[in-house]
Amino acid sequence: MKNLYITLSFVIASMTLSAQNSDTEKADRLFARFEYVDAAGEYLKLAEGKKADAYVYKQLADSYFNVFNTAEAAKWYAKATETQQDAETYYRYAQMLKADGKYAESNKQMQKFASLAPSDQRAVEFKQDPNYLPKLKSQTKLFDEKSLDINSDKSDFGAVLTNDNTLYFATARNKARKNYGWNEEPFLDLYKSTYNADGTFSEPVPVAEINSKFHDGPASISADGNTMYFASESFKEGDFEKDKAKKLKYGQVYLYKATRDGDKWTNIKALPFTSKAYSTSSPSLSRDGKTLYFSSNMPGSLGGNDVWKVAVNEDGSYGTPENLGKSVNTEGNESFPFITDDNKLYFSSDGRKGFGALDVFVIDLNRKTEAANVGAPVNTEKDDFAFSFNTAKNIGFFSSNRTGDDNIYMATPVCGVEVITLVKDARTGKTLADAKVSILDAKKNVIESKISESNGEVFYSVDCNKPYLIQVTRDGYESNTFPVAKTNGGTVNVAADLQPIDVIVKETEVVLNEIYFEFDKSNITQAGAFELDKLVQVLKNNPNMEIMVKGHTDNRGSDQYNLNLSDRRARAAVQYVISKGIAKARIAGKGYGESEPKVDCKENCTEEDHAKNRRNEFLIVKK
C-alpha cells in the first residue's frame, strides 16, 4: 500500500506512453485505474492464451512490480526483456531479482541498465562498486528489531511516536471500508495506539475526525502535540485531472494540516503548495516546527519522488519548497522522510546501494555527512521504509513487507559509540584534509582506515565499553596516535593535532618515538612501522639528507649474540625505509649490542629498563 505514495507519478507517466489494442483494452483500463491485481489477471489471460507480446509481458511485470510480487514480476520481466526495453525496465527487473536474493542475476540486469543510462547516478554508483553487498552486510549493527503485536493482516506502516506516548500510523485494517483496486485492500485510515510504560501498546483506534472515504495517513505531529500534518487525496478538494477518452479522474496525494482542539483534530486544510499536477506526501515536522520535510514528484525532482523541505513561517504561511539535492535524492525514488530532534534525516530510497527494493538511509544534516545505509536488521532484500525515531525516548519504528504485508517494527538502538576525529595542524590550528585516519582495537589491529574530508573530520561507529586507538598520518606531518577510552555509548571527540614534520629533525639526529622490539626478535612491528614512516617522510622532504641507524639491545644474552641481534635490528629498520622508496645510498645501519645502554642498570634491570635499551637511533650523517 505504501506504493501509493511512491509510484503514482511513475504509473501515470508509463500509462500515458502505452499503446493499446483491442486485446489489451480491458487490462489497460484496469491498469490505468491502478487496479493492478485485476489488471495482472487480465494480462495473464492474454499471456496464457498466446495473445501476448513484449508490451503485455511488460505490463504484466509492472502490475506485479506495483504490488511487490517479486517472483512474478521477475518472471515476466524476463519475458519482456527478450526484446529490447527501456533502461528503467532493466532497473526494475534488477530490483525484483535483488529482492528475491538473486544478487548475481540482479547485477547482470544492472549492467544492462548502466549501459543504457550511463550518466544516471544509480548506474554511476553501481559501476563504481558493483560488489558492495558483502561490506554492507558486515557493517556495525545499529538497531535490534521486533514486530509489533498491534499489526493487522492488512497494510500497517508509517508509525510515529509522539512525546505523549501516542503512536500514530496508517493502516488498511478497517474492513468496513471500500477496497482499493491497487491491491484489493481497504482504503487507508489513520489510527493511534498508546505506548504503555511496560512496553506494550493499547488496542489501536481510528482517528475519526481525520479519516474520510479517501486514503488518509501517515502523519507527523508537532513537538507540542497541537499540530498535525498528514497525507490524503486531492479529491477532498475537488482537485483532479479528467481523461475523457478513458472516462477516468486522476487525483494526487495532498498534504493537509490539522490543529488540536481538546481531544479532537479540527481546522483541516490542504497546504497551499499542493497541486493536481503532482503529489506531496509523507510529512515530517522539525522539532522547532519551522521546517516541514515531505516527499514529492513536483517539478525539479531528480527522479520519481524526491525529498523536499519547506519553511513554516510564524504567521502560518509557507516558503517555497526546496529540493534536498543529490546528497539525498537520486534518479530513483526517495520517500518517507523523518527528521529527528538532533537533525538526523532518515528516508527510504530504491536508488542507492542497498539490500534490495526500498532501504532506510540516514544523513546528519548538522555535520553534512553522506547518506548511509542503516544496515541489517532494519534493511532486508524487501521493502524497508518509513523509519521514525523519538530521541527523547530512544526508540524508533519502521515498516517492512519482509513477511508479505506491510508491518510495523520497533527499532531499539544497539549500544554504540560514534568516534569523531578532527585532524588539525598543531601550530596553526588549520584543519587538515587527506590525512589517513585508522582506528585500531585494543590489540592494535587496524579495523578500518579512512581519509579525512576537507573539514578534517573522520567518523567511526564502534562498540560500547571497548578501548580503541586512533592512528593518524599525513604527508608533511609527524604521525601520531590518540587513545579512545571505554564509554557506554554516545559520542567521543578526538582532537588529532599533528606536528609539522620539521619538529622531529634536530641538529644531529631525527627524533622518533622509541622503536621497541620484542625480546629476541628483529622484525619490524606495526608500531615500529608507524614510527619509521615518519623517518621516510623526513627523507622525502630533505632529498640530500643521509641517515645512520644505530641498533641497540638489552643486556640479556652474550655480548656477541647481542651484537648480532642489534645489527639485524638496525638492518631491518634500514630495509623498511628502503622498501618505502628511499635510495640505499641514503641510509645505512650498524648494531652496537649492549655497549651503549640508554638505562645503565647492569644486573638490576627491570622489564621496562630492558625495553628501553632495545632501540634504534637515527643519526644525521649529511643534511
Side-chain angles (χ1 to χ4, degrees):
M1 186 66 81
K2 76 279 175 182
N3 285 338
L4 172 70
Y5 297 97
I6 301 170
T7 61
L8 182 60
S9 61
F10 265 162
V11 172
I12 292 173
S14 62
M15 177 198 66
T16 57
L17 294 172
S18 299
Q20 295 184 12
N21 59 52
S22 58
D23 289 332
T24 65
E25 185 175 358
K26 183 178 180 180
D28 290 336
R29 189 184 313 115
L30 290 166
F31 190 96
R33 296 171 69 93
F34 313 128
E35 296 180 13
Y36 297 118
V37 174
D38 291 339
E42 293 301 320
Y43 288 125
L44 192 58
K45 290 178 184 178
L46 296 173
E48 292 174 344
K50 299 183 179 180
K51 290 187 177 181
D53 55 15
Y55 170 79
V56 170
Y57 295 142
K58 183 177 180 301
Q59 291 292 98
L60 181 53
D62 283 344
S63 297
Y64 286 124
F65 176 89
N66 285 318
V67 295
F68 204 76
N69 186 331
T70 57
E72 288 298 311
K75 172 184 175 181
W76 295 106
Y77 279 132
K79 292 289 292 181
T81 54
E82 288 176 359
T83 58
Q84 184 68 31
Q85 296 291 336
D86 61 284
E88 198 64 30
T89 296
Y90 291 102
Y91 185 79
R92 288 188 172 196
Y93 185 15
Q95 297 312 297
M96 293 296 94
L97 289 167
K98 188 160 63 170
D100 272 349
K102 299 176 181 178
Y103 298 111
E105 294 177 48
S106 174
N107 277 5
K108 290 180 182 178
Q109 299 307 317
M110 280 299 295
Q111 293 284 5
K112 294 179 182 178
F113 164 72
S115 68
L116 291 171
S119 61
D120 189 300
Q121 189 59 33
R122 296 169 293 176
V124 172
E125 286 197 8
F126 170 76
K127 288 187 289 186
Q128 287 174 344
D129 188 12
N131 299 310
Y132 65 88
L133 200 59
K135 184 177 180 180
L136 194 60
K137 287 182 175 180
S138 65
Q139 73 180 39
T140 303
K141 181 181 178 182
L142 300 180
F143 298 94
D144 288 319
E145 55 86 14
K146 178 185 177 183
S147 178
L148 298 192
D149 293 337
I150 59 173
N151 285 313
S152 68
D153 61 349
K154 303 297 181 182
S155 292
D156 304 284
F157 67 95
V160 292
L161 182 65
T162 63
N163 292 332
D164 66 354
N165 289 317
T166 303
L167 187 78
Y168 289 89
F169 62 97
T171 178
R173 68 182 62 204
N174 188 351
K175 296 179 181 178
R177 297 266 266 137
K178 176 183 176 183
N179 275 10
Y180 187 54
W182 186 304
N183 61 354
E184 293 300 326
E185 284 192 353
F187 275 64
L188 291 171
D189 279 338
L190 189 66
Y191 271 59
K192 65 180 181 179
S193 172
T194 300
Y195 179 47
N196 301 314
D198 62 359
T200 62
F201 291 86
S202 67
E203 183 65 24
V205 296
V207 186
E209 58 271 26
I210 295 296
N211 296 326
S212 65
K213 66 178 182 180
F214 304 108
H215 289 292
D216 298 293
S220 177
I221 312 297
S222 62
D224 63 9
N226 293 324
T227 303
M228 173 190 289
Y229 290 92
F230 68 99
S232 189
E233 295 188 38
S234 63
F235 290 112
K236 282 186 176 181
E237 307 302 303
D239 290 348
F240 52 83
E241 295 283 357
K242 284 185 178 180
D243 188 324
K244 294 181 180 179
K246 297 173 183 171
K247 299 179 181 180
L248 294 175
K249 298 176 181 178
Y250 295 109
Q252 298 284 2
V253 182
Y254 272 17
L255 288 179
Y256 289 81
K257 177 184 176 182
T259 53
R260 187 188 292 277
D261 184 4
D263 293 333
K264 302 292 183 182
W265 292 100
T266 62
N267 195 28
I268 299 172
K269 294 181 180 178
L271 299 192
F273 53 85
T274 56
S275 168
K276 61 183 180 180
Y278 53 80
S279 284
T280 51
S281 62
S282 304
S284 181
L285 187 66
S286 62
R287 181 182 182 181
D288 61 10
K290 295 181 179 180
T291 307
L292 181 69
Y293 295 84
F294 61 97
S295 58
S296 178
N297 61 340
M298 65 173 60
S301 294
L302 302 181
N305 275 315
D306 279 8
V307 176
W308 294 71
K309 67 177 181 179
V310 65
V312 182
N313 301 319
E314 289 186 9
D315 62 1
S317 63
Y318 298 86
T320 302
E322 300 176 40
N323 189 291
L324 264 62
K326 291 185 177 181
S327 62
V328 172
N329 298 313
T330 69
E331 287 88 343
N333 291 291
E334 281 68 44
S335 54
F336 298 103
F338 183 86
I339 190 71
T340 65
D341 289 353
D342 53 358
N343 218 28
K344 290 180 180 177
L345 181 72
Y346 289 89
F347 64 96
S348 296
S349 175
D350 65 6
R352 294 179 173 273
K353 294 175 183 176
F355 291 85
L358 287 172
D359 270 18
V360 175
F361 292 80
V362 63
I363 182 171
D364 190 322
L365 298 182
N366 288 336
R367 297 173 184 153
K368 297 181 180 179
T369 58
E370 291 185 359
N373 191 297
V374 172
V378 170
N379 289 323
T380 66
E381 68 273 13
K382 305 299 183 183
D383 278 330
D384 308 292
F385 61 101
F387 190 100
S388 67
F389 194 79
N390 188 305
T391 306
K393 302 179 188 300
N394 199 36
I395 191 171
F397 299 88
F398 68 97
S399 306
S400 178
N401 65 352
R402 61 190 62 184
T403 61
D405 294 321
D406 292 335
N407 283 325
I408 300 169
Y409 294 78
M410 181 185 293
T412 306
V414 174
C415 185
V417 178
E418 186 172 38
V419 180
I420 306 171
T421 302
L422 178 60
V423 186
K424 297 170 72 175
D425 185 305
R427 281 185 181 175
T428 66
K430 178 183 176 182
T431 57
L432 298 177
D434 301 320
K436 181 181 178 182
V437 181
S438 303
I439 188 161
L440 289 70
D441 63 19
K443 295 182 179 179
K444 298 186 178 180
N445 297 311
V446 176
I447 301 171
E448 188 178 359
S449 298
K450 295 182 180 179
I451 303 300
S452 61
E453 302 289 343
S454 58
N455 61 1
E457 289 185 332
V458 168
F459 299 86
Y460 282 113
S461 294
V462 296
D463 295 334
C464 290
N465 301 311
K466 291 183 180 180
Y468 294 91
L469 196 67
I470 293 293
Q471 189 180 78
V472 186
T473 62
R474 189 184 188 277
D475 286 350
Y477 289 84
E478 178 183 350
S479 303
N480 210 341
T481 57
F482 307 89
V484 179
K486 295 180 181 179
T487 182
N488 188 29
T491 300
V492 175
N493 292 291
V494 176
D497 294 342
L498 300 186
Q499 294 287 348
I501 203 75
D502 58 353
V503 300
I504 67 172
V505 180
K506 304 300 182 182
E507 184 66 26
T508 60
E509 65 178 325
V510 176
V511 180
L512 304 181
N513 293 324
E514 301 293 355
I515 299 178
Y516 298 127
F517 292 88
E518 296 178 16
F519 174 64
D520 200 33
K521 299 288 181 66
S522 60
N523 59 290
I524 300 297
T525 64
Q526 180 176 307
F530 185 67
E531 287 301 313
L532 287 171
D533 284 339
K534 300 177 186 179
L535 177 62
V536 171
Q537 188 62 50
V538 168
L539 290 168
K540 287 182 177 179
N541 291 350
N542 299 271
N544 295 320
M545 182 179 287
E546 295 179 7
I547 294 292
M548 177 64 183
V549 182
K550 294 178 66 177
H552 305 276
T553 67
D554 57 36
N555 61 11
R556 291 180 289 192
S558 68
D559 290 351
Q560 187 61 47
Y561 176 83
N562 285 335
L563 186 64
N564 293 338
L565 178 61
S566 65
D567 199 56
R568 293 200 305 271
R569 287 174 174 173
R571 293 178 185 279
V574 169
Q575 288 301 307
Y576 180 86
V577 173
I578 292 172
S579 75
K580 295 296 182 177
I582 301 301
K584 293 180 181 179
R586 297 181 60 197
I587 186 166
K590 182 179 179 182
Y592 289 80
E594 59 186 83
S595 63
E596 298 180 6
K598 187 172 185 179
V599 181
D600 193 9
C601 49
K602 296 183 171 56
E603 303 304 321
N604 300 312
C605 297
T606 65
E607 282 301 320
E608 183 179 357
D609 294 335
H610 285 311
K612 288 180 178 179
N613 287 332
R614 299 191 300 267
R615 71 198 189 282
N616 278 333
E617 294 177 303
F618 305 91
L619 305 183
I620 299 173
V621 178
K622 177 182 177 184
K623 286 189 175 181

